[in-house]
Amino acid sequence: MRYVSTRGNAPAIGFEDVVLTGLAPDGGLYVPEHVPQFSHDELAAMSGLSYAEIAVRVMRPFVGEAIDDDVFAAIVHETYASFNHDAVVPLVQLSHDHHLLELFHGPTLAFKDIALQLLGRLLDHFLGRRGEQGVIMGATSGDTGSAAIEGCRACDNLDIFILHPHERVSEVQRRQMTTVGAANVHNIAIRGDFDDAQAMVKASFADQAFLQGTRLIAVNSINWARIMAQIVYYVAAGVALGAPHRAVSFTVPSANFGNLFAGYMAYRMGLPVAQFVIATNANDILHRTMADNDFSRRALQATLAPSMDIVVSSNFERLLFEAYGRDSDRLARLLADFAEGKARIDDEALEALRNLFSSHTVDDETILEVIREAHAHTGQLLDPHTACGYRAAQVCRADAATPMITLATAHPAKFEAAIVKAGFEGAPLPEAMHDLMTREEHYDVLDAELETVQAYVAAKRH
Ligand SMILES: *Cc1c(COP(=O)(O)O)cnc(C)c1O
């Protein structure tokens, strides 16, 4: 399989390079040159398979010749054996036609583990084969950092440096990053805010000389391997609820749109999906775009669902590329308008998207109301992100006969403050993390100065 850039000005590359590269050199995002197809019979044959078995079948066509079949299967089985639930992504029934897909049974209790546990192993495999050592650098305001660290802690060929804003992440979030205790994991608390940490990382990618030839790797949500890994659970949940014999619908708490784009890929590959519902918090660029064709930036708002606090939805570019019939020139013009402040999606393209996608925005007050309501009606304690999905599913669902699957993107214990605000005593951490608050922490506090950070990284890497 080869991959092309959405901006159309970069050479097509293979899977290994896509995983190691991240962003295309023309500033675009890589997408597969063609979308692999599953026949009705191939989907039907997945019913009853384990999650890892389905994962191998769904991802195989994207990997192509880059990894031998038996090696790839071994990597995938090892990846999902590390989850704390035998079903990996269990489905919980909320009502006769509404289901919750629990994506939070990985080591850091949020759905990003599903992709990052695989990405770490894929990177380690490719680097090992090349005899290279790689350095991952990333900035985090919470979730992604810990999921990336957990995905890399066992990797021989990778050092990972995660920058977080000093004293501006929750204690649970910090401890998930700082108590790992692996020699290749390095935590830096930056004296500054998230933007300062992000700026250090961006500047380091722009000028990699400080690593003297060592490859610097990004694991942010534009990496194709993350999308690929997320396609699997849409197929697994769909097949578990009767696809391909009947259609299913999905509601997805969304920010950068990586999760939802994976669902769209599952649909394009042949999974019968009647409807996708995009759920946003008050940072509603996706909803404004879908509902009012208002594709524009607005100031960031801090909400009770912080992992969805974004200004720009980076993976939305991949959907627009498809909506524009893969016409990179038209897409580039749209994105240039957007960079100026505000753009309008072509009417025909937007109409086509509206046939498949609906959207709804959920404010903080409603998040608290939903947490109480869902608990009263179903006994489930939802985290604030999943609560956005729950309400959007109720408001937007088009057809009562098609099962609705709402993606539960985080465990409630991860966002206990919101749970308490909703009137509950708390949300206990699962058994696997019971000693989190007493484990030894490892991190260094550095000034927000590029030279200081780069010298630290160069000195600590292996
Ligand atoms: C990252 C995240 C999201 C948003 O996912 P996108 O792929 O960026 O749309 C939603 N919920 C939680 C808990 C997250 O960590």
Side-chain angles (χ1 to χ4, degrees):
M1 173 70 79
R2 296 184 69 73
Y3 292 82
V4 296
S5 166
T6 49
R7 306 278 173 99
N9 263 320
I13 58 175
F15 181 72
E16 176 171 347
D17 288 322
V18 152
V19 173
L20 290 169
T21 306
L23 201 67
D26 61 359
L29 278 61
Y30 286 112
V31 290
E33 205 164 43
H34 64 268
V35 178
Q37 295 297 311
F38 286 119
S39 68
H40 189 276
D41 287 352
E42 283 170 319
L43 284 170
M46 290 186 206
S47 146
L49 297 185
S50 74
Y51 187 80
E53 287 165 334
I54 293 175
V56 170
R57 291 192 189 191
V58 169
M59 295 191 284
R60 197 76 206 92
F62 294 106
V63 177
E65 307 286 292
I67 308 178
D68 290 344
D69 283 353
D70 51 339
V71 175
F72 183 62
I75 290 174
V76 170
H77 278 84
E78 186 193 287
T79 299
Y80 295 109
S82 72
F83 280 62
N84 296 319
H85 196 297
D86 279 346
V88 183
V89 292
L91 271 167
V92 172
Q93 192 163 9
L94 296 175
S95 71
H96 80 280
D97 57 2
H98 191 184
H99 303 258
L100 205 59
L101 182 61
E102 291 186 351
L103 302 176
F104 53 69
H105 293 281
T108 73
L109 311 181
F111 89 98
K112 293 187 173 69
D113 287 328
I114 291 173
L116 285 164
Q117 284 291 312
L118 181 70
L119 179 58
R121 287 172 170 86
L122 289 175
L123 288 169
D124 204 37
H125 174 76
F126 287 137
L127 291 168
R129 212 163 68 176
R130 291 166 168 238
E132 285 182 32
Q133 189 75 17
V135 170
I136 290 177
M137 262 182 98
T140 189
S141 51
D143 274 356
T144 314
S146 56
I149 286 171
E150 284 292 339
C152 296
R153 64 186 294 175
C155 297
D156 297 327
N157 307 299
L158 278 168
D159 278 287
I160 179 163
F161 294 82
I162 296 294
L163 285 63
H164 71 265
H166 187 41
E167 292 175 343
R168 295 191 198 200
V169 300
S170 77
E171 185 170 8
V172 168
Q173 286 179 325
R174 189 190 70 240
R175 287 184 158 274
Q176 282 188 318
M177 298 190 278
T178 59
T179 60
V180 167
N184 67 336
V185 170
H186 314 274
N187 282 285
I188 303 172
I190 289 286
R191 286 195 190 91
D193 58 18
F194 171 71
D195 290 336
D196 295 322
Q198 176 87 320
M200 304 286 116
V201 172
K202 278 197 174 155
S204 298
F205 273 90
D207 158 32
Q208 299 188 22
F210 74 103
L211 285 177
Q212 289 158 347
T214 298
R215 187 189 284 275
L216 193 58
I217 298 167
V219 295
N220 49 22
S221 78
I222 53 106
N223 193 303
W224 173 258
R226 289 185 57 176
I227 307 278
M228 174 184 83
Q230 293 170 178
I231 299 169
V232 175
Y233 49 74
Y234 288 90
V235 176
V239 165
L241 289 181
H245 310 292
R246 65 170 179 178
V248 292
S249 293
F250 293 94
T251 299
V252 185
S254 293
N256 275 319
F257 206 71
N259 200 354
L260 199 20
F261 188 76
Y264 175 73
M265 285 301 294
Y267 162 77
R268 290 286 305 274
M269 291 169 82
L271 184 72
V273 177
Q275 186 188 17
F276 286 109
V277 177
I278 304 167
T280 75
N281 65 19
N283 297 286
D284 61 351
I285 180 168
L286 290 166
H287 175 62
R288 283 186 286 115
T289 303
M290 293 305 300
D292 305 325
N293 202 351
D294 170 13
F295 184 42
S296 67
R297 287 167 196 263
R298 292 233 180 116
L300 188 76
Q301 293 190 52
T303 73
L304 291 173
S307 298
M308 285 158 53
D309 289 350
I310 48 102
V311 174
V312 178
S313 239
S314 48
N315 275 292
F316 197 55
E317 176 168 343
R318 286 187 160 117
L319 184 69
L320 291 173
F321 180 64
E322 300 297 336
Y324 275 26
R326 298 198 152 208
D327 182 337
S328 291
D329 294 336
R330 277 172 70 211
L331 177 67
R333 282 198 294 276
L334 176 74
L335 295 171
D337 288 347
F338 179 72
E340 303 270 286
K342 184 170 161 82
R344 265 190 77 82
I345 314 261
D346 175 276
D347 286 330
E348 210 176 303
L350 187 61
E351 259 336 290
L353 290 179
R354 284 175 178 159
N355 286 331
L356 185 59
F357 295 91
S358 317
S359 64
H360 185 66
T361 290
V362 180
D363 63 21
D364 274 2
E365 200 184 309
T366 310
I367 287 175
L368 298 176
E369 187 184 299
V370 169
I371 292 173
R372 289 188 288 267
E373 178 188 314
H375 187 264
H377 290 204
T378 72
Q380 294 289 317
L381 203 50
L382 305 183
D383 96 281
H385 307 80
T386 307
C388 295
Y390 184 93
R391 177 62 93 236
Q394 289 173 322
V395 172
C396 294
R397 79 183 290 174
D399 140 37
T402 306
M404 175 57 81
I405 303 166
T406 294
L407 273 49
T409 51
H411 189 287
K414 228 179 153 164
F415 298 97
E416 197 176 31
I419 305 294
V420 171
K421 218 169 174 181
F424 296 86
E425 267 181 26
L429 285 167
E431 186 50 35
M433 302 193 78
H434 71 281
D435 62 344
L436 182 71
M437 302 316 263
T438 55
R439 287 184 206 156
E440 192 187 339
E441 292 193 78
H442 303 274
Y443 66 101
D444 288 303
V445 184
L446 300 183
D447 285 336
E449 285 170 7
L450 187 59
E451 269 173 42
T452 311
V453 170
Q454 290 189 339
Y456 182 94
V457 172
K460 292 266 181 172
R461 75 192 166 98
H462 290 95

